[in-house]
Amino acid sequence: MRHEKYDRTEYNSEMKKKNTYNPEFKSKVVLELLSGQHTLNELAEKYQISPATLSSWHKQFQEHAAEVFRRGATDSVREAEAKEREITVLQQKVGQLTIECDWLKKKYNEIFGPEGAPKTRFTKKQKTDG
């Protein structure tokens, strides 16, 4: 039984298929393992992954579980906040430039009228015999 667990397929140096699993799938399987309803080998067979891989995910989960409860912003949160601030500044700049552009168009029409600036004609200087 195959599940929507893959981000992409990679190949190692021997050109054997190496699956890369998405984080949601990994957490789902590890939480199922932690529930105690199935053994590691049963889950490995159910999801068609190696027991060693599942054991590695379980170890990683246990090592990083404390990070969920840490206070303060993580790097990804700080990065997201910085991007939000940058977006806000850029949106303000776009608004300011839009207002300036509209003002200039209005003033241009007031000065030159709706047809725009008058066209200038250059007349050819006529030769005088002399």
Side-chain angles (χ1 to χ4, degrees):
M1 165 166 50
R2 290 282 178 189
H3 297 276
E4 295 176 13
K5 59 185 174 185
Y6 304 110
D7 276 338
R8 62 187 182 276
T9 301
E10 297 176 352
Y11 294 91
N12 61 18
S13 60
E14 293 91 32
M15 294 302 289
K16 293 181 181 175
K17 189 174 178 181
K18 177 184 176 190
N19 295 318
T20 304
Y21 302 94
N22 64 38
E24 292 79 17
F25 175 76
K26 289 178 181 180
S27 11
K28 173 187 163 194
V29 176
V30 170
L31 288 172
E32 200 170 328
L33 176 63
L34 290 172
S35 73
Q37 294 177 348
H38 301 286
T39 66
L40 186 135
N41 288 331
E42 289 172 344
L43 288 173
E45 184 178 332
K46 177 180 176 182
Y47 293 108
Q48 297 180 350
I49 55 177
S50 83
T53 301
L54 182 51
S55 179
S56 172
W57 294 350
H58 183 241
K59 183 179 178 184
Q60 289 174 9
F61 184 86
Q62 289 176 328
E63 289 172 355
H64 299 288
E67 291 177 17
V68 173
F69 300 106
R70 286 209 171 98
R71 292 181 186 241
T74 62
D75 289 340
S76 61
V77 170
R78 280 191 291 272
E79 187 177 312
E81 289 171 350
K83 286 182 180 180
E84 286 295 322
R85 285 191 298 274
E86 183 180 6
I87 288 170
T88 301
V89 168
L90 292 172
Q91 286 174 337
Q92 289 173 348
K93 187 68 174 176
V94 167
Q96 175 188 350
L97 293 172
T98 302
I99 290 170
E100 290 175 6
C101 184
D102 291 344
W103 183 84
L104 287 171
K105 285 178 184 177
K106 178 182 172 187
K107 289 298 176 186
Y108 181 86
N109 286 335
E110 286 177 8
I111 294 171
F112 296 111
E115 285 99 35
K119 305 280 187 221
T120 59
R121 291 189 196 176
F122 295 101
T123 57
K124 290 185 179 180
K125 209 177 201 186
Q126 294 181 357
K127 289 185 183 179
T128 55
D129 291 333

